[in-house]
Structures are given as structure tokens and as C-alpha cells.
């Protein structure tokens, strides 16, 4: 294996060293669950190992028919035999399976699915500790049930918008991003007070923890990520940036409806619990999720 790139599971054994934390997480149901995927660690010279995506296969209705010319000059069209179910099941996960929002708890795509486009974003991974889990659980309990706040599958800190990459852009994009991030130093981040955000389409709202330390370093990261995205004519991050880690979401825009009392309770709850844990953590790498692939970019 090349020294520039190594393959590791997305959630290695270091994430499950503590059986107490693991049992605690299973009870709450609010923390990220391991995904059966591969994390590609990208070295300074780019990606040495890359997994090909699941190919798209068209349905039998769209498959071409073979036109045959008989000896008497007449033409006939032959029908292909239907593909076996075992073959068709190899290529699940296309746009037909994503069309219904009911399978995504009512969530709606920010952009229409198109074959060959890979949803992509860059983020800081968040290590979930039992202390952080306690804070998240307490904040969820402070929010009235009428808002129907759902837990996040994975906690992360975004440093890019969600954009779409063409398949043939994935390797050059990850290589360029690796080069731009490789010289940036590791740093310390810390959580700040809770805040409610809404997405650009006003289809989902998010209860989040803001960032109180490491903002300057995050701005430097965004600058490099934006430059990489610009090479592919993709949009930059929000300006001004408001860095945060979302801990829950709900459908619709609640930013104008949520009461000041609820917001005050969230802040009070956060301040009561933050003193019992270490609110800061070390940022040692950036990650990017491209489709169902994960890439890691170590900082210097």
C-alpha cells in the first residue's frame, strides 16, 4: 500500500474503546451510528486508492431493441430477456429509490437528483463523548414536543455548502483539496451557545451549538475550500460564515415562531451542563462526503 494513502474503516476501534460510552449511546438513540463504508485518507499528493461508484443501470423499458432483417426483406424486432432480480438488485439506490421524501422523514432534496452528480460537502468531524451526549440529550428535553425536533444522524461542522460533483471531478477535487489543506495547522475548537438556523429553501430548521473558539482557523479552512470549489465553478460557503454543529432538526422554518422563552431555556440548559464537561476538542483533520464515499484530509 502506498505511504501516501491508507484505507481505514470510517469508524475504527478508537471510537468504541469505552463500553460505558457505547452503552450510553445506545440508550439515547441520538448519536451517529457507524456506517458500512470506507474512509479514504488523502495524502499531500492526492488519492492513491479510489473506489468506483455503483454504476447506474437503466430499466428494461429503456433498453434498446435489436432490429433483424429477414431473408425476405421484412424486419422484426427482438425482445431482450429481462434481467434477473439478482442483477437488478446490485444497482439499487438510483433516483427511483430517492424520489419519495417519505423514506427520508419528509426531507426534501436541495437539488434534483441527476445521474452522475454526487452530493458533496466538506466538514469537521465531531467526536461524540458521553459528556457531549448528555448536553445534547438535555437540550432536546428543553424543546417542546410541538416542534417535533429529530436527532441528527451524525454530528459535524460544515465548512462548505452541499454541492454536486461530476464523477470525473472527484479525483481532481480531492487531490486539490488535499494540497490546499495539508499545510494548515491543527487547532482547538469549542462549543458556544445554542442557536436555531434554517436552510436556504426554508424546508428544515436546525437546533445547533455555535462555535466560540477556533473561528479564525475555520475561516482559513473555508478560504482554501472555497478556492478548491471555485476551480469547478461551484459556490462558496456562506458569507459571513456562522459556524455551528447541528444537534437536531425539524421540517419547516421555526426561526420566526420559536418563542424567546424556549431559546432562553436552551441557553440556560447549555450553561448548566457545559461546566461539567470539556467544551473544547482538537481538530486534526477535515473530511468530505462525496455520495457514499468518505475522504479524510489530515492537517499538519
Amino acid at each position: 500500500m502506498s505511504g501516501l494513502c491508507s484505507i481505514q474503516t470510517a469508524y475504527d476501534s478508537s471510537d468504541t474503546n469505552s463500553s460505558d460510552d457505547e452503552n450510553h449511546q445506545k440508550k439515547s438513540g441520538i448519536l451517529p451510528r457507524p456506517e458500512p463504508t470506507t474512509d479514504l485518507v488523502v495524502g499531500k499528493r492526492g488519492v492513491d486508492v479510489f473506489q468506483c461508484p455503483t454504476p447506474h443501470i437503466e430499466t428494461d423499458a429503456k433498453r434498446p431493441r435489436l432490429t433483424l432483417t429477414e431473408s425476405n426483406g421484412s424486419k422484426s424486432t427482438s425482445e431482450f430477456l429481462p434481467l434477473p432480480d439478482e442483477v437488478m438488485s446490485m444497482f439499487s439506490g438510483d433516483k427511483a429509490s430517492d424520489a419519495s421524501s417519505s423514506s427520508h422523514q419528509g426531507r426534501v432534496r436541495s437539488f434534483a437528483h441527476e445521474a452522475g452528480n454526487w452530493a458533496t460537502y466538506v466538514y469537521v468531524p465531531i467526536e461524540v463523548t458521553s459528556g457531549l451526549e448528555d448536553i445534547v440529550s438535555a437540550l432536546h428535553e428543553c424543546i417542546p414536543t410541538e416542534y417535533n425536533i429529530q436527532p441528527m444522524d451524525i454530528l459535524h461542522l460544515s465548512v462548505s455548502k452541499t454541492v454536486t460533483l461530476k464523477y470525473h471531478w472527484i479525483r481532481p477535487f480531492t487531490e486539490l483539496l488535499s494540497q490546499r489543506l495539508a499545510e494548515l495547522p491543527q487547532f482547538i475548537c469549542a462549543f458556544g451557545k445554542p442557536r436555531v438556523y434554517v436552510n436556504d429553501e426554508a424546508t428544515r430548521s436546525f437546533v445547533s451549538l455555535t462555535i466560540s473558539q477556533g473561528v479564525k482557523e475555520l475561516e482559513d479552512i473555508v478560504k482554501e475550500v472555497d478556492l478548491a470549489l471555485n476551480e469547478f465553478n461551484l459556490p462558496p460557503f456562506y458569507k459571513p460564515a456562522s459556524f455551528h454543529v447541528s444537534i437536531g432538526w425539524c421540517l419547516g422554518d421555526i426561526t420566526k415562531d420559536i418563542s424567546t422563552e424556549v431559546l432562553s431555556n436552551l441557553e440556560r440548559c447549555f450553561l448548566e451542563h457545559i461546566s461539567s464537561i470539556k467544551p473544547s476538542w482538537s481538530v486534526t483533520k477535515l473530511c468530505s462526503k462525496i455520495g457514499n464515499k468518505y475522504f479524510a484530509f489530515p492537517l499538519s
Side-chain angles (χ1 to χ4, degrees), residues 94-109 153 249:
D94 60 9
K95 60 184 178 182
S97 65
D98 293 331
S100 174
S101 63
S102 61
S103 62
H104 301 282
Q105 298 177 284
R107 291 173 288 185
V108 180
R109 288 180 177 273
D153 295 329
W249 67 274

Side-chain angles (χ1 to χ4, degrees), residues 20-48:
D20 292 338
D21 281 355
E22 189 176 64
N23 293 332
H24 196 53
Q25 293 173 6
K26 289 179 180 178
K27 292 179 181 179
S28 67
I30 63 168
L31 295 178
R33 296 172 176 79
E35 298 183 18
T37 186
T38 299
D39 191 30
L40 303 187
V41 180
V42 185
K44 291 185 179 181
R45 286 172 50 192
V47 183
D48 286 338

Side-chain angles (χ1 to χ4, degrees), residues 113-134:
H113 174 85
E114 183 179 337
N117 282 352
W118 292 60
T120 301
Y121 64 94
V122 185
Y123 63 96
V124 176
I126 304 297
E127 179 184 358
V128 178
T129 63
S130 58
L132 177 57
E133 183 184 6
D134 289 339

Side-chain angles (χ1 to χ4, degrees), residues 10-21:
Y11 296 89
D12 57 26
S13 58
S14 64
D15 293 326
T16 56
N17 285 341
S18 171
S19 59
D20 292 338
D21 281 355

